[in-house]
Amino acid sequence: MKIKTRIFGEIEIDDDKIIRFTNGIIGFPDLKEFSLMHDAEHTDGGGIQWLQSLQEPGFALPVLDPLVVMPSYNPQVEDELLKPIGRLDQDHMLVLVTLTVPSDIRKMSVNLRAPIVVQTESRKACQVIVDDEKYPVKYPIYEMLQAAKKAGE
């Protein structure tokens, strides 16, 4: 499948790279097919990636591995919420959180309350709501990312 995207230009997506959301994502229930994209220089999955919509090429959602910003991230999610994606185990599960980058980049945050869970074998996914106050909707990450960047230099 070829699509022309706003961020990545024209790209070709193999069928085995399509992630399908049975119920869409929060706020966009009609967008159900995505592909996970990343910069050529960040292939390790530790940086910001993009969930690129295949139905709406102008829509790409920045996402991040929550363990990058909160190593203890381990929300409890009701099994019922994960039923649409099938059987999950640690070896075939990818968890991502959405990133918000406002005009004042110092207010960058991730949403730890609504993670995206992907069953990597079937490539089925869902976004769930975590009912736990210790995981905020707007978890500030700018200073944390700056510190990590300095440590890596």
Side-chain angles (χ1 to χ4, degrees):
M1 167 187 296
K2 272 191 182 182
I3 62 170
K4 187 169 176 73
T5 70
R6 180 177 58 86
I7 296 172
F8 298 99
E10 187 170 278
I11 56 172
E12 189 163 338
I13 306 290
D14 294 333
D15 282 349
D16 66 347
K17 300 290 184 196
I18 297 174
I19 298 169
R20 290 182 169 82
F21 287 77
T22 306
N23 301 314
I25 58 174
I26 295 170
F28 302 92
D30 296 334
L31 299 182
K32 299 184 180 201
E33 292 188 340
F34 291 83
S35 186
L36 194 58
M37 314 290 289
H38 52 79
D39 294 341
E41 51 197 66
H42 295 102
T43 57
D44 62 356
I48 296 170
Q49 299 178 77
W50 297 86
L51 217 75
Q52 172 65 56
S53 171
L54 303 184
Q55 294 147 302
E56 182 58 52
F59 182 82
L61 195 60
V63 293
L64 189 67
D65 177 342
L67 298 178
V68 169
V69 295
M70 182 183 274
S72 64
Y73 187 73
N74 188 22
Q76 299 303 305
V77 177
E78 292 180 37
D79 291 341
E80 188 67 28
L81 296 175
L82 298 171
K83 269 191 177 175
I85 62 175
R87 190 175 160 282
L88 275 179
D89 62 53
Q90 294 290 21
D91 294 335
H92 300 105
M93 179 173 60
L94 174 65
V95 178
L96 300 166
V97 290
T98 57
L99 182 71
T100 301
V101 184
S103 56
D104 181 353
I105 196 168
R106 294 170 299 176
K107 294 183 178 172
M108 183 184 330
S109 64
V110 292
N111 182 346
L112 297 176
R113 185 70 60 87
I116 292 168
V117 182
V118 181
Q119 203 291 355
T120 58
E121 283 186 314
S122 67
R123 294 174 312 284
K124 288 183 180 178
C126 64
Q127 188 172 22
V128 296
I129 302 293
V130 174
D131 190 21
D132 189 335
E133 295 296 320
K134 77 177 180 181
Y135 299 117
V137 171
K138 290 185 179 267
Y139 182 70
I141 64 167
Y142 178 78
E143 290 181 15
M144 188 181 315
L145 293 178
Q146 290 300 103
K149 186 177 177 181
K150 282 183 182 172
E153 290 177 353

